[in-house]
Amino acid sequence: MRIGRVIVGGVVVTVFDAIVGAVTCGGVFNWVYKLEPVNVWKPMEGAPGIGYYIGALLLNILFVAVYAMLQKGIPGKNRLRKGLLFGLCVWAVGILPGMFATYMFMTVAPAVVFYWAILALIQEPLKGLIGAAVYGE
């Protein structure tokens, strides 16, 4: 595994996440966080703090590292297809179970859970594509 490429991939994916988050959750779709119940959200003024971005970076480095470990076993004719499929698998086994549990056991508006699931269905394969493109073969 090429550690330098894993770290660079994690950084690029984190920048992508930050941009998508600012445009979607912080912009176009921020109305979902105004659906009742609103008392479940922590108050926020502006962008998340540095702690969030450090955590996101570490998790995205892990995301790219797992891709690097599994890439040879992921079906696909090239690394971009493999990255897309990897991201889709992460969505299917990582995001969906969490969204189901959130819907079943937490007091969050169903529209928020649906929004998060659909956003992740788009975002995770793109993160896989980016991670695969940066990491290489």
Side-chain angles (χ1 to χ4, degrees):
M1 183 181 326
R2 297 179 220 126
I3 300 299
R5 287 192 183 193
V6 168
I7 292 170
V8 170
V11 169
V12 174
V13 169
T14 302
V15 170
F16 170 76
D17 267 350
I19 292 167
V20 169
V23 170
T24 58
C25 298
V28 177
F29 297 105
N30 70 351
W31 58 269
V32 299
Y33 301 106
K34 295 175 181 140
L35 299 173
E36 289 295 334
V38 295
N39 63 334
V40 298
W41 311 120
K42 291 182 177 182
M44 283 188 59
E45 299 295 327
I50 189 71
Y52 169 78
Y53 291 107
I54 291 170
L57 175 61
L58 294 174
L59 291 171
N60 286 320
I61 288 171
L62 179 62
F63 179 89
V64 177
V66 171
Y67 170 79
M69 288 186 280
L70 299 178
Q71 71 170 330
K72 291 182 180 163
I74 300 170
K77 295 183 182 199
N78 61 51
R79 69 180 180 213
L80 301 181
R81 286 186 180 181
K82 288 182 177 203
L84 283 170
L85 183 58
F86 174 72
L88 188 60
C89 290
V90 168
W91 176 80
V93 300
I95 302 298
L96 280 183
M99 292 300 97
F100 177 71
T102 299
Y103 175 75
M104 296 301 294
F105 301 114
M106 297 178 73
T107 308
V108 176
V112 174
V113 176
F114 181 74
Y115 162 68
W116 284 343
I118 298 303
L119 178 63
L121 176 59
I122 297 164
Q123 195 169 356
E124 294 304 307
L126 291 175
K127 287 170 54 174
L129 179 95
I130 293 166
V134 172
Y135 185 76
E137 297 290 338

